[in-house]
């Protein structure tokens, strides 16, 4: 039980730190079964993954303008994905099954992945700003949108 509360605390901290707005979990209030809650969490992880992949594709397009930059961006993304997977496995060091973590296990893993991936999306937005304009005259607004005054 202590592991679940510790994980819940970590998820709350990580999810609030990403953009200053609540995470996108549209079905969270209506899910009445553990299966439904697991699916809501999976949906959150999928949304975070989709946003990250979209930013990564945009970053690759921008980096392609500079010799060797796209290869470095790809290498950094591969390293980050390996880090994320290792991080999640470090949080859940017991065998990955419901015997050790209970039926909330898939939900907890999905919310952890969603939180960590959302934070990485913010990093990718900063990289986009750097590649977007070499004068560093851009920023990320409170809604996570890239703005520029160039």
């Amino acid at each position: 039980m202590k592991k679940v509360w510790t994980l819940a605390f970590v998820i709350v901290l990580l999810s609030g730190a990403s953009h200053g707005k609540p995470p996108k979990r549209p079905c969270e209030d209506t899910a009445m079964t553990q299966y439904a809650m697991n699916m809501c969490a999976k949906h959150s992880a999928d949304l975070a993954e989709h946003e990250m992949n979209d930013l990564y594709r945009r970053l690759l397009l921008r980096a392609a303008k500079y010799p060797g930059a796209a290869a470095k961006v790809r290498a950094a993304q591969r390293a980050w994905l390996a880090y994320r997977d290792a991080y999640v496995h470090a949080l859940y060091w017991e065998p990955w099954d419901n015997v050790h973590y209970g039926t909330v296990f898939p939900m907890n893993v999905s919310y952890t992945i969603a939180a960590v991936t959302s934070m990485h999306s913010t990093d990718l937005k900063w990289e986009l700003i750097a590649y977007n304009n070499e004068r560093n005259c851009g920023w990320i607004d409170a809604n996570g949108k890239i703005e520029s005054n160039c």
Side-chain angles (χ1 to χ4, degrees):
M1 186 65 175
K2 185 177 179 183
K3 291 178 189 176
V4 172
W5 284 110
T6 303
L7 176 64
F9 179 70
V10 168
I11 289 172
V12 168
L13 283 177
L14 293 177
S15 64
S18 61
H19 297 297
K21 60 183 178 180
K24 301 172 189 173
R25 294 186 256 192
C27 62
E28 187 177 57
D29 294 332
T30 59
M32 300 301 288
T33 65
Q34 188 59 56
Y35 176 77
M37 288 184 257
N38 291 349
M39 290 298 101
C40 286
K42 170 103 173 67
H43 180 69
S44 289
D46 290 345
L47 284 174
E49 189 87 16
H50 177 75
E51 179 187 25
M52 178 192 65
N53 286 334
D54 179 57
L55 289 164
Y56 174 64
R57 279 190 291 274
R58 289 169 50 197
L59 181 58
L60 276 178
L61 288 173
R62 299 258 172 82
K65 297 176 184 176
Y66 305 93
K72 291 179 181 182
V73 168
R74 276 190 216 91
Q77 184 70 0
R78 279 194 300 272
W80 184 85
L81 289 169
Y83 161 78
R84 180 190 66 183
D85 294 344
Y87 177 80
V88 172
H89 280 275
L91 284 176
Y92 301 99
W93 62 91
E94 299 279 351
W96 278 47
D97 56 30
N98 289 346
V99 172
H100 290 90
Y101 294 108
T103 57
V104 299
F105 174 65
M107 180 183 74
N108 290 341
V109 169
S110 291
Y111 279 142
T112 301
I113 290 170
V116 174
T117 303
S118 291
M119 290 189 330
H120 181 59
S121 290
T122 300
D123 295 337
L124 293 176
K125 287 176 185 178
W126 282 112
E127 288 183 64
L128 269 170
I129 288 172
Y131 278 103
N132 196 29
N133 57 67
E134 296 168 1
R135 294 176 287 171
N136 291 324
C137 53
W139 67 92
I140 301 172
D141 71 9
N143 296 317
K145 183 181 173 195
I146 298 172
E147 297 287 341
S148 176
N149 60 0
C150 298

